[in-house]
Amino acid sequence: MEMNVSKNDEQVVARKAGGLNPAVIIPIILAIGVCIYLFVLGSPGNFKDADKLGAGSVAFSDVEGKDIHPDSFLGIIYKGGVIVPILITFMLTVIVFSIERALVLGRAAGKGNLDNFVIQVRSLLNQNKIDEALEECDRQQGSVGNVVKEGLTTYKALSHDTTLNKEQKMVALNKAIEEATTLEMPMLEKNMMILSTLGTVATLVALLGTVIGMIKAFFALGSGGGTPDAAALSTGISEALINTALGIGTSAIAIILYNYFTSKIDGLTYKIDEIAMSIQQSFAEFN
């Protein structure tokens, strides 16, 4: 038996399917993060006595019983240990999905200045110029323009409807605007949870790396038979601090960008509500 899918349901599915798919993108970013750790940070050129390490990566070099010492900042980051590629993946994920959100929210605002669009539409509504307001929506486009256009289209249809009373028309108009807003919200809010989650998880994973590094440091401190192994001690401490720095940096960037995009979404929602109120007031006045 075939199921009839409504137009609204199809639009909701389309909006939820839009944008980047985390299930596909994150594994790719993880592979890139591991490659950066092995072949960029782990390049023999970032360490002393690079000629003895061979080509490729320190991880695949045959260094018989010899500890390697970084000769550059990239080498120092490499010495942060196995948690580093995970933190690199988190940082790249924040960057990729932040760019995606910036592009999506930019398109959602439309082509013209959003504040000018709101002022223009409200001015036209005060004069009951619905057709001119619809033309403004076609020029503006974006999520705000789509919602306003849906509200104005319903406004125009209800103004010529003689089967409903004024109260019923107001209810139908409000419902149309609410449904149009609901259709746009999934696209605006998609992948925001990733930024929010990484704002917390990055710090916790960095803390794990910090604890591992401190365990190594204290192990070196207690296994020297009275004389601590200074090299092993410093390696453990540096590993702890590197993970801490990467985790805190990633977390800070994720939180800042999440709050920024949240404020942008709230701004778009406010603009929609502002025009929706004007549409309702205009309909109540002229119909």
Side-chain angles (χ1 to χ4, degrees), residues 84-282:
V84 171
I86 299 175
L87 295 174
I88 292 175
T89 300
F90 287 170
M91 177 64 77
L92 293 176
T93 302
V94 169
I95 293 172
V96 169
F97 284 99
S98 295
I99 293 173
E100 184 247 8
R101 286 294 88 198
L103 294 175
V104 168
L105 294 179
R107 289 196 299 268
K111 295 183 177 180
N113 183 278
L114 189 55
D115 291 329
N116 293 339
F117 170 71
V118 173
I119 294 172
Q120 184 67 20
V121 170
R122 294 187 66 182
S123 175
L124 292 171
L125 286 171
N126 291 334
Q127 305 171 56
N128 199 31
K129 296 181 178 179
I130 306 304
D131 291 331
E132 289 83 349
L134 284 169
E135 292 175 0
E136 287 292 328
C137 293
D138 290 334
R139 283 192 289 268
Q140 181 70 17
Q141 299 181 3
S143 294
V144 178
N146 292 340
V147 173
V148 176
K149 184 177 181 179
E150 183 65 26
L152 292 174
T153 302
T154 305
Y155 179 117
K156 190 174 181 181
L158 290 173
S159 63
H160 297 92
D161 192 326
T162 58
T163 62
L164 301 176
N165 58 39
K166 187 171 183 178
E167 183 177 349
Q168 290 173 326
K169 289 180 179 180
M170 287 296 297
V171 171
L173 179 61
N174 292 339
K175 183 179 179 181
I177 295 173
E178 290 175 359
E179 288 180 349
T181 303
T182 302
L183 288 174
E184 296 295 333
M185 291 309 294
M187 182 186 68
L188 298 180
E189 297 177 344
K190 183 178 181 181
N191 295 332
M192 288 293 293
M193 185 59 67
I194 293 175
L195 297 179
S196 175
T197 301
L198 290 180
T200 303
V201 172
T203 304
L204 296 177
V205 173
L207 180 61
L208 174 62
T210 301
V211 172
I212 292 174
M214 294 308 297
I215 290 173
K216 291 182 179 180
F218 283 112
F219 179 79
L221 188 63
S223 62
T227 305
D229 187 341
L233 180 62
S234 62
T235 298
I237 295 175
S238 66
E239 179 175 339
L241 296 178
I242 289 166
N243 285 288
T244 302
L246 288 175
I248 291 176
T250 301
S251 179
I253 294 173
I255 292 172
I256 291 171
L257 291 174
Y258 173 80
N259 290 330
Y260 171 76
F261 292 131
T262 299
S263 67
K264 293 280 287 186
I265 294 172
D266 290 342
L268 293 174
T269 305
Y270 175 77
K271 298 297 183 186
I272 292 173
D273 293 341
E274 186 178 1
I275 299 182
M277 183 64 69
S278 297
I279 293 175
Q280 294 164 2
Q281 292 174 347
S282 177

Side-chain angles (χ1 to χ4, degrees), residues 49-94:
D49 300 324
D51 55 327
K52 298 179 181 178
L53 300 177
S57 167
V58 170
F60 303 119
S61 298
D62 184 16
V63 188
E64 298 179 356
K66 296 182 179 179
D67 190 18
I68 54 175
H69 300 282
D71 196 32
S72 67
F73 185 70
L74 295 180
I76 293 174
I77 297 177
Y78 177 87
K79 295 290 286 184
V82 295
I83 301 297
V84 171
I86 299 175
L87 295 174
I88 292 175
T89 300
F90 287 170
M91 177 64 77
L92 293 176
T93 302
V94 169

